Amino acid sequence: MTIIGALKTIDDLEEAGLIAGSRNAQLSDVAARYAIAVTPAMAALIDPGDPNDPIAHQFIPDAAELVRLPQERADPIGDTAHSPVEGIVHRYPDRVLLKAVHVCPVYCRFCFRREMVGPQGLGTLASQAMDRAFAYIADHPEIWEVILTGGDPLVLSPRRLASVMERLAAIDHVKIVRFHTRVPVVEPERVDAAMIAALKASGKTAYLALHANHPRELTMDARAACARLVDAGIVMVSQSVLLKGVNDDPDTLAALMQAFVENRIKPYYLHHPDLAPGTSHFRLTIEEGQALVASLRGRVSGLCQPAYVLDIPGGHGKTLISASTIADNGGGCYTVADFQGETHAYPPVAAD
């Protein structure tokens, strides 16, 4: 079946054969609460005969999303606590988030901003709010980097993206502009010459953080889109979420990181899932995550090692949570673990 346009309703998903009709009523409450969108590129990757398909797990709604645990929260990483003006999050001294838009080409079932994004979410910043956001950036010379997120900033037209970059180009202390996006993977045809030109501005270095969680997402079309970006001088890094049922085994995680490196994308962040409502079925324990990340050492090149991070709830920022490989024994002596899990004394015990 050829799919034209994004699938945005339970009926769309059923018609495309991605869910059984018996699930329609069961999922209507999920659809009423959280936005749905699956692009043709992602729909084409789903095997409807596989109940454990990792692409479906990311994008097809599940009744488990209606289960909300007490520790889950609508704003799990505390964006609101660090938002001095609408559209800006200023959590770290030298950088801000600019949330110009709150819609996406796809809606991930584990999204940490799922209460804010979608057709009924916060929408696109109005012109006056955008003016206030740029005024805030201009008035704070410590801001060295602006990170466009949301929502997905690359849903904006090239004309609107170019306008954003022109306004940032006029702010001398901003040197780095970073885009957080899924578009090169989920809608690669959008990455054309006009969009690429819009991402660049005189005096600014553009970075693009690509969100992908499974190696199958890096299709030939996605790889071609990434090549167009890199060949144009845009530096690419990755961000992924460690997800139960998607990439929570060493082989899949290793293949994902290798695929990034093969496409000139530096592995950057591997996120522990945030405490967003209705996402507990995606979360591993931190100890399970640490073991998986440790398994990459020795298995794949150092180029393929991401930083495993936790966004501390309440707006306290990210912290590295990779498993410790060294223990202090006192007196300048340590026990250090190698990539196979064997421990060694450092400095080595002197031979007799």
mmCIF file of all heavy atoms in Angstrom, residues 26-51:
data_model
loop_
_atom_site.group_PDB
_atom_site.id
_atom_site.type_symbol
_atom_site.label_atom_id
_atom_site.label_comp_id
_atom_site.label_asym_id
_atom_site.label_seq_id
_atom_site.Cartn_x
_atom_site.Cartn_y
_atom_site.Cartn_z
ATOM 1 N N GLN A 26 -9.779 0.741 21.715
ATOM 2 C CA GLN A 26 -8.846 0.740 22.838
ATOM 3 C C GLN A 26 -7.899 1.934 22.777
ATOM 4 O O GLN A 26 -7.512 2.497 23.803
ATOM 5 C CB GLN A 26 -8.046 -0.567 22.822
ATOM 6 C CG GLN A 26 -7.085 -0.741 23.988
ATOM 7 C CD GLN A 26 -6.247 -2.005 23.829
ATOM 8 O OE1 GLN A 26 -6.007 -2.466 22.719
ATOM 9 N NE2 GLN A 26 -5.821 -2.572 24.949
ATOM 10 N N LEU A 27 -7.537 2.340 21.561
ATOM 11 C CA LEU A 27 -6.540 3.397 21.401
ATOM 12 C C LEU A 27 -7.148 4.792 21.247
ATOM 13 O O LEU A 27 -6.419 5.775 21.190
ATOM 14 C CB LEU A 27 -5.663 3.097 20.186
ATOM 15 C CG LEU A 27 -4.816 1.827 20.279
ATOM 16 C CD1 LEU A 27 -4.030 1.630 18.997
ATOM 17 C CD2 LEU A 27 -3.876 1.884 21.490
ATOM 18 N N SER A 28 -8.457 4.880 21.206
ATOM 19 C CA SER A 28 -9.078 6.192 21.007
ATOM 20 C C SER A 28 -8.772 7.140 22.163
ATOM 21 O O SER A 28 -8.589 8.348 21.956
ATOM 22 C CB SER A 28 -10.584 6.050 20.822
ATOM 23 O OG SER A 28 -11.187 5.452 21.966
ATOM 24 N N ASP A 29 -8.683 6.613 23.378
ATOM 25 C CA ASP A 29 -8.353 7.457 24.530
ATOM 26 C C ASP A 29 -6.913 7.950 24.453
ATOM 27 O O ASP A 29 -6.617 9.078 24.857
ATOM 28 C CB ASP A 29 -8.574 6.685 25.832
ATOM 29 C CG ASP A 29 -10.046 6.474 26.153
ATOM 30 O OD1 ASP A 29 -10.884 7.172 25.550
ATOM 31 O OD2 ASP A 29 -10.350 5.616 27.004
ATOM 32 N N VAL A 30 -6.027 7.114 23.932
ATOM 33 C CA VAL A 30 -4.636 7.543 23.749
ATOM 34 C C VAL A 30 -4.586 8.676 22.736
ATOM 35 O O VAL A 30 -3.938 9.716 22.959
ATOM 36 C CB VAL A 30 -3.757 6.371 23.281
ATOM 37 C CG1 VAL A 30 -2.303 6.841 23.081
ATOM 38 C CG2 VAL A 30 -3.795 5.221 24.282
ATOM 39 N N ALA A 31 -5.275 8.501 21.619
ATOM 40 C CA ALA A 31 -5.271 9.514 20.564
ATOM 41 C C ALA A 31 -5.883 10.828 21.031
ATOM 42 O O ALA A 31 -5.476 11.908 20.587
ATOM 43 C CB ALA A 31 -6.018 8.989 19.348
ATOM 44 N N ALA A 32 -6.862 10.735 21.933
ATOM 45 C CA ALA A 32 -7.493 11.957 22.443
ATOM 46 C C ALA A 32 -6.536 12.745 23.328
ATOM 47 O O ALA A 32 -6.660 13.961 23.462
ATOM 48 C CB ALA A 32 -8.758 11.597 23.221
ATOM 49 N N ARG A 33 -5.575 12.065 23.911
ATOM 50 C CA ARG A 33 -4.659 12.714 24.859
ATOM 51 C C ARG A 33 -3.340 13.132 24.212
ATOM 52 O O ARG A 33 -2.807 14.204 24.513
ATOM 53 C CB ARG A 33 -4.389 11.789 26.038
ATOM 54 C CG ARG A 33 -3.506 12.398 27.109
ATOM 55 C CD ARG A 33 -3.505 11.600 28.397
ATOM 56 N NE ARG A 33 -2.658 12.206 29.410
ATOM 57 C CZ ARG A 33 -3.006 13.207 30.189
ATOM 58 N NH1 ARG A 33 -4.223 13.715 30.068
ATOM 59 N NH2 ARG A 33 -2.177 13.704 31.089
ATOM 60 N N TYR A 34 -2.800 12.270 23.340
ATOM 61 C CA TYR A 34 -1.475 12.522 22.775
ATOM 62 C C TYR A 34 -1.522 12.486 21.251
ATOM 63 O O TYR A 34 -2.158 11.625 20.659
ATOM 64 C CB TYR A 34 -0.464 11.472 23.281
ATOM 65 C CG TYR A 34 -0.336 11.426 24.779
ATOM 66 C CD1 TYR A 34 -0.685 10.287 25.499
ATOM 67 C CD2 TYR A 34 0.143 12.531 25.495
ATOM 68 C CE1 TYR A 34 -0.562 10.235 26.874
ATOM 69 C CE2 TYR A 34 0.263 12.485 26.869
ATOM 70 C CZ TYR A 34 -0.091 11.344 27.558
ATOM 71 O OH TYR A 34 0.019 11.301 28.923
ATOM 72 N N ALA A 35 -0.800 13.420 20.642
ATOM 73 C CA ALA A 35 -0.813 13.555 19.181
ATOM 74 C C ALA A 35 -0.231 12.320 18.496
ATOM 75 O O ALA A 35 0.649 11.636 19.032
ATOM 76 C CB ALA A 35 -0.025 14.791 18.770
ATOM 77 N N ILE A 36 -0.729 12.073 17.291
ATOM 78 C CA ILE A 36 -0.259 10.976 16.447
ATOM 79 C C ILE A 36 0.186 11.560 15.108
ATOM 80 O O ILE A 36 -0.506 12.394 14.531
ATOM 81 C CB ILE A 36 -1.368 9.938 16.192
ATOM 82 C CG1 ILE A 36 -1.787 9.253 17.488
ATOM 83 C CG2 ILE A 36 -0.924 8.887 15.157
ATOM 84 C CD1 ILE A 36 -3.033 8.379 17.328
ATOM 85 N N ALA A 37 1.335 11.125 14.622
ATOM 86 C CA ALA A 37 1.748 11.397 13.245
ATOM 87 C C ALA A 37 2.850 10.411 12.893
ATOM 88 O O ALA A 37 3.830 10.276 13.630
ATOM 89 C CB ALA A 37 2.234 12.833 13.061
ATOM 90 N N VAL A 38 2.659 9.718 11.791
ATOM 91 C CA VAL A 38 3.656 8.786 11.265
ATOM 92 C C VAL A 38 3.851 9.147 9.796
ATOM 93 O O VAL A 38 2.904 9.105 9.014
ATOM 94 C CB VAL A 38 3.206 7.315 11.393
ATOM 95 C CG1 VAL A 38 4.332 6.381 10.944
ATOM 96 C CG2 VAL A 38 2.769 6.992 12.816
ATOM 97 N N THR A 39 5.069 9.527 9.419
ATOM 98 C CA THR A 39 5.328 9.900 8.031
ATOM 99 C C THR A 39 5.395 8.644 7.157
ATOM 100 O O THR A 39 5.634 7.537 7.645
ATOM 101 C CB THR A 39 6.656 10.651 7.906
ATOM 102 O OG1 THR A 39 7.713 9.823 8.404
ATOM 103 C CG2 THR A 39 6.625 11.975 8.656
ATOM 104 N N PRO A 40 5.211 8.809 5.838
ATOM 105 C CA PRO A 40 5.337 7.662 4.944
ATOM 106 C C PRO A 40 6.677 6.941 5.069
ATOM 107 O O PRO A 40 6.722 5.711 4.989
ATOM 108 C CB PRO A 40 5.164 8.279 3.556
ATOM 109 C CG PRO A 40 4.291 9.471 3.790
ATOM 110 C CD PRO A 40 4.721 10.013 5.118
ATOM 111 N N ALA A 41 7.759 7.690 5.284
ATOM 112 C CA ALA A 41 9.079 7.059 5.407
ATOM 113 C C ALA A 41 9.133 6.107 6.587
ATOM 114 O O ALA A 41 9.726 5.024 6.505
ATOM 115 C CB ALA A 41 10.159 8.134 5.539
ATOM 116 N N MET A 42 8.520 6.494 7.703
ATOM 117 C CA MET A 42 8.535 5.624 8.869
ATOM 118 C C MET A 42 7.510 4.506 8.743
ATOM 119 O O MET A 42 7.769 3.367 9.137
ATOM 120 C CB MET A 42 8.277 6.443 10.142
ATOM 121 C CG MET A 42 9.415 7.379 10.510
ATOM 122 S SD MET A 42 10.991 6.535 10.899
ATOM 123 C CE MET A 42 11.860 6.618 9.306
ATOM 124 N N ALA A 43 6.345 4.803 8.176
ATOM 125 C CA ALA A 43 5.332 3.764 7.986
ATOM 126 C C ALA A 43 5.872 2.637 7.113
ATOM 127 O O ALA A 43 5.586 1.454 7.346
ATOM 128 C CB ALA A 43 4.075 4.367 7.373
ATOM 129 N N ALA A 44 6.691 2.998 6.109
ATOM 130 C CA ALA A 44 7.234 1.993 5.198
ATOM 131 C C ALA A 44 8.211 1.047 5.889
ATOM 132 O O ALA A 44 8.451 -0.064 5.402
ATOM 133 C CB ALA A 44 7.921 2.683 4.024
ATOM 134 N N LEU A 45 8.779 1.473 7.016
ATOM 135 C CA LEU A 45 9.745 0.636 7.737
ATOM 136 C C LEU A 45 9.086 -0.346 8.693
ATOM 137 O O LEU A 45 9.738 -1.272 9.177
ATOM 138 C CB LEU A 45 10.702 1.530 8.537
ATOM 139 C CG LEU A 45 11.682 2.384 7.742
ATOM 140 C CD1 LEU A 45 12.556 3.188 8.704
ATOM 141 C CD2 LEU A 45 12.547 1.526 6.831
ATOM 142 N N ILE A 46 7.816 -0.155 8.982
ATOM 143 C CA ILE A 46 7.135 -0.971 9.994
ATOM 144 C C ILE A 46 6.689 -2.296 9.398
ATOM 145 O O ILE A 46 6.088 -2.350 8.324
ATOM 146 C CB ILE A 46 5.924 -0.214 10.573
ATOM 147 C CG1 ILE A 46 6.400 1.031 11.345
ATOM 148 C CG2 ILE A 46 5.091 -1.112 11.475
ATOM 149 C CD1 ILE A 46 5.275 1.948 11.797
ATOM 150 N N ASP A 47 7.003 -3.373 10.097
ATOM 151 C CA ASP A 47 6.512 -4.700 9.743
ATOM 152 C C ASP A 47 5.255 -4.963 10.571
ATOM 153 O O ASP A 47 5.346 -5.277 11.756
ATOM 154 C CB ASP A 47 7.579 -5.755 10.039
ATOM 155 C CG ASP A 47 7.103 -7.177 9.745
ATOM 156 O OD1 ASP A 47 5.947 -7.342 9.301
ATOM 157 O OD2 ASP A 47 7.888 -8.118 9.971
ATOM 158 N N PRO A 48 4.065 -4.835 9.973
ATOM 159 C CA PRO A 48 2.839 -4.993 10.762
ATOM 160 C C PRO A 48 2.654 -6.401 11.306
ATOM 161 O O PRO A 48 1.853 -6.613 12.218
ATOM 162 C CB PRO A 48 1.724 -4.625 9.779
ATOM 163 C CG PRO A 48 2.322 -4.778 8.430
ATOM 164 C CD PRO A 48 3.787 -4.505 8.566
ATOM 165 N N GLY A 49 3.401 -7.363 10.768
ATOM 166 C CA GLY A 49 3.308 -8.724 11.269
ATOM 167 C C GLY A 49 4.197 -9.005 12.457
ATOM 168 O O GLY A 49 4.157 -10.108 13.026
ATOM 169 N N ASP A 50 5.018 -8.028 12.837
ATOM 170 C CA ASP A 50 5.936 -8.201 13.961
ATOM 171 C C ASP A 50 5.417 -7.418 15.163
ATOM 172 O O ASP A 50 5.470 -6.190 15.174
ATOM 173 C CB ASP A 50 7.336 -7.705 13.582
ATOM 174 C CG ASP A 50 8.353 -7.859 14.712
ATOM 175 O OD1 ASP A 50 7.980 -8.392 15.786
ATOM 176 O OD2 ASP A 50 9.514 -7.443 14.524
ATOM 177 N N PRO A 51 4.909 -8.095 16.185
ATOM 178 C CA PRO A 51 4.374 -7.369 17.346
ATOM 179 C C PRO A 51 5.449 -6.621 18.127
ATOM 180 O O PRO A 51 5.129 -5.758 18.945
ATOM 181 C CB PRO A 51 3.741 -8.472 18.197
ATOM 182 C CG PRO A 51 4.464 -9.712 17.787
ATOM 183 C CD PRO A 51 4.790 -9.549 16.329
#
